[in-house]
PDB file of all heavy atoms in Angstrom:
ATOM      1  N   ILE A  54       1.181  42.242  30.373  1.00 95.00           N
ATOM      2  CA  ILE A  54       1.590  43.553  30.094  1.00 95.00           C
ATOM      3  C   ILE A  54       2.482  43.584  28.849  1.00 95.00           C
ATOM      4  O   ILE A  54       3.385  42.639  28.773  1.00 95.00           O
ATOM      5  CB  ILE A  54       2.277  44.259  31.304  1.00 95.00           C
ATOM      6  CG1 ILE A  54       2.710  45.685  30.967  1.00 95.00           C
ATOM      7  CG2 ILE A  54       3.441  43.409  31.812  1.00 95.00           C
ATOM      8  CD1 ILE A  54       3.182  46.414  32.214  1.00 95.00           C
ATOM      9  N   THR A  55       2.284  44.446  27.905  1.00 95.00           N
ATOM     10  CA  THR A  55       3.164  44.539  26.716  1.00 95.00           C
ATOM     11  C   THR A  55       4.456  45.169  26.986  1.00 95.00           C
ATOM     12  O   THR A  55       4.644  45.882  27.985  1.00 95.00           O
ATOM     13  CB  THR A  55       2.423  45.317  25.587  1.00 95.00           C
ATOM     14  OG1 THR A  55       2.272  46.640  26.001  1.00 95.00           O
ATOM     15  CG2 THR A  55       1.029  44.763  25.369  1.00 95.00           C
ATOM     16  N   ASP A  56       5.434  44.956  26.073  1.00 93.00           N
ATOM     17  CA  ASP A  56       6.754  45.592  26.218  1.00 93.00           C
ATOM     18  C   ASP A  56       6.632  47.095  26.107  1.00 93.00           C
ATOM     19  O   ASP A  56       7.348  47.815  26.810  1.00 93.00           O
ATOM     20  CB  ASP A  56       7.758  45.015  25.175  1.00 93.00           C
ATOM     21  CG  ASP A  56       7.198  45.100  23.735  1.00 93.00           C
ATOM     22  OD1 ASP A  56       6.051  45.595  23.566  1.00 93.00           O
ATOM     23  OD2 ASP A  56       7.950  44.701  22.834  1.00 93.00           O
ATOM     24  N   VAL A  57       5.655  47.639  25.382  1.00 94.00           N
ATOM     25  CA  VAL A  57       5.457  49.076  25.320  1.00 94.00           C
ATOM     26  C   VAL A  57       5.034  49.648  26.694  1.00 94.00           C
ATOM     27  O   VAL A  57       5.597  50.664  27.200  1.00 94.00           O
ATOM     28  CB  VAL A  57       4.437  49.438  24.187  1.00 94.00           C
ATOM     29  CG1 VAL A  57       4.154  50.959  24.262  1.00 94.00           C
ATOM     30  CG2 VAL A  57       4.943  49.065  22.843  1.00 94.00           C
ATOM     31  N   GLU A  58       4.129  48.975  27.291  1.00 95.00           N
ATOM     32  CA  GLU A  58       3.649  49.368  28.691  1.00 95.00           C
ATOM     33  C   GLU A  58       4.747  49.177  29.638  1.00 95.00           C
ATOM     34  O   GLU A  58       4.904  49.992  30.573  1.00 95.00           O
ATOM     35  CB  GLU A  58       2.410  48.506  29.034  1.00 95.00           C
ATOM     36  CG  GLU A  58       1.153  48.818  28.165  1.00 95.00           C
ATOM     37  CD  GLU A  58       0.079  47.793  28.472  1.00 95.00           C
ATOM     38  OE1 GLU A  58       0.349  46.573  28.561  1.00 95.00           O
ATOM     39  OE2 GLU A  58      -1.112  48.245  28.557  1.00 95.00           O
ATOM     40  N   LEU A  59       5.559  48.162  29.538  1.00 96.00           N
ATOM     41  CA  LEU A  59       6.595  47.957  30.423  1.00 96.00           C
ATOM     42  C   LEU A  59       7.641  49.041  30.348  1.00 96.00           C
ATOM     43  O   LEU A  59       8.158  49.511  31.367  1.00 96.00           O
ATOM     44  CB  LEU A  59       7.331  46.592  30.148  1.00 96.00           C
ATOM     45  CG  LEU A  59       6.812  45.344  30.848  1.00 96.00           C
ATOM     46  CD1 LEU A  59       7.408  44.064  30.261  1.00 96.00           C
ATOM     47  CD2 LEU A  59       7.119  45.301  32.392  1.00 96.00           C
ATOM     48  N   ALA A  60       7.911  49.463  29.181  1.00 95.00           N
ATOM     49  CA  ALA A  60       8.912  50.589  28.952  1.00 95.00           C
ATOM     50  C   ALA A  60       8.421  51.850  29.665  1.00 95.00           C
ATOM     51  O   ALA A  60       9.189  52.594  30.266  1.00 95.00           O
ATOM     52  CB  ALA A  60       9.171  50.829  27.451  1.00 95.00           C
ATOM     53  N   ARG A  61       7.102  52.045  29.559  1.00 95.00           N
ATOM     54  CA  ARG A  61       6.472  53.262  30.171  1.00 95.00           C
ATOM     55  C   ARG A  61       6.591  53.146  31.653  1.00 95.00           C
ATOM     56  O   ARG A  61       6.905  54.169  32.357  1.00 95.00           O
ATOM     57  CB  ARG A  61       5.092  53.452  29.672  1.00 95.00           C
ATOM     58  CG  ARG A  61       4.451  54.800  30.103  1.00 95.00           C
ATOM     59  CD  ARG A  61       3.142  55.056  29.445  1.00 95.00           C
ATOM     60  NE  ARG A  61       2.087  54.112  29.805  1.00 95.00           N
ATOM     61  CZ  ARG A  61       1.602  53.204  29.040  1.00 95.00           C
ATOM     62  NH1 ARG A  61       2.058  52.963  27.747  1.00 95.00           N
ATOM     63  NH2 ARG A  61       0.655  52.432  29.494  1.00 95.00           N
ATOM     64  N   HIS A  62       6.281  52.023  32.197  1.00 95.00           N
ATOM     65  CA  HIS A  62       6.235  51.839  33.626  1.00 95.00           C
ATOM     66  C   HIS A  62       7.576  51.869  34.347  1.00 95.00           C
ATOM     67  O   HIS A  62       7.793  52.328  35.399  1.00 95.00           O
ATOM     68  CB  HIS A  62       5.498  50.526  34.031  1.00 95.00           C
ATOM     69  CG  HIS A  62       4.004  50.622  33.942  1.00 95.00           C
ATOM     70  ND1 HIS A  62       3.259  51.239  34.910  1.00 95.00           N
ATOM     71  CD2 HIS A  62       3.142  50.117  33.041  1.00 95.00           C
ATOM     72  CE1 HIS A  62       1.959  51.183  34.569  1.00 95.00           C
ATOM     73  NE2 HIS A  62       1.864  50.521  33.483  1.00 95.00           N
ATOM     74  N   THR A  63       8.578  51.340  33.589  1.00 95.00           N
ATOM     75  CA  THR A  63       9.921  51.169  34.160  1.00 95.00           C
ATOM     76  C   THR A  63      10.853  52.199  33.760  1.00 95.00           C
ATOM     77  O   THR A  63      11.999  52.343  34.390  1.00 95.00           O
ATOM     78  CB  THR A  63      10.529  49.811  33.772  1.00 95.00           C
ATOM     79  OG1 THR A  63      10.676  49.751  32.315  1.00 95.00           O
ATOM     80  CG2 THR A  63       9.650  48.594  34.204  1.00 95.00           C
ATOM     81  N   ALA A  64      10.533  53.060  32.778  1.00 94.00           N
ATOM     82  CA  ALA A  64      11.385  54.074  32.202  1.00 94.00           C
ATOM     83  C   ALA A  64      12.784  53.555  31.690  1.00 94.00           C
ATOM     84  O   ALA A  64      13.738  54.274  31.684  1.00 94.00           O
ATOM     85  CB  ALA A  64      11.688  55.172  33.202  1.00 94.00           C
ATOM     86  N   LEU A  65      12.734  52.238  31.267  1.00 94.00           N
ATOM     87  CA  LEU A  65      13.932  51.641  30.681  1.00 94.00           C
ATOM     88  C   LEU A  65      13.910  51.853  29.154  1.00 94.00           C
ATOM     89  O   LEU A  65      12.848  51.897  28.507  1.00 94.00           O
ATOM     90  CB  LEU A  65      14.021  50.221  31.041  1.00 94.00           C
ATOM     91  CG  LEU A  65      14.265  49.853  32.464  1.00 94.00           C
ATOM     92  CD1 LEU A  65      13.960  48.372  32.667  1.00 94.00           C
ATOM     93  CD2 LEU A  65      15.648  50.177  32.920  1.00 94.00           C
TER      94      LEU A  65
END
Side-chain angles (χ1 to χ4, degrees):
I54 182 171
T55 66
D56 51 1
V57 173
E58 292 171 317
L59 272 170
R61 188 170 67 249
H62 281 283
T63 60
L65 293 167

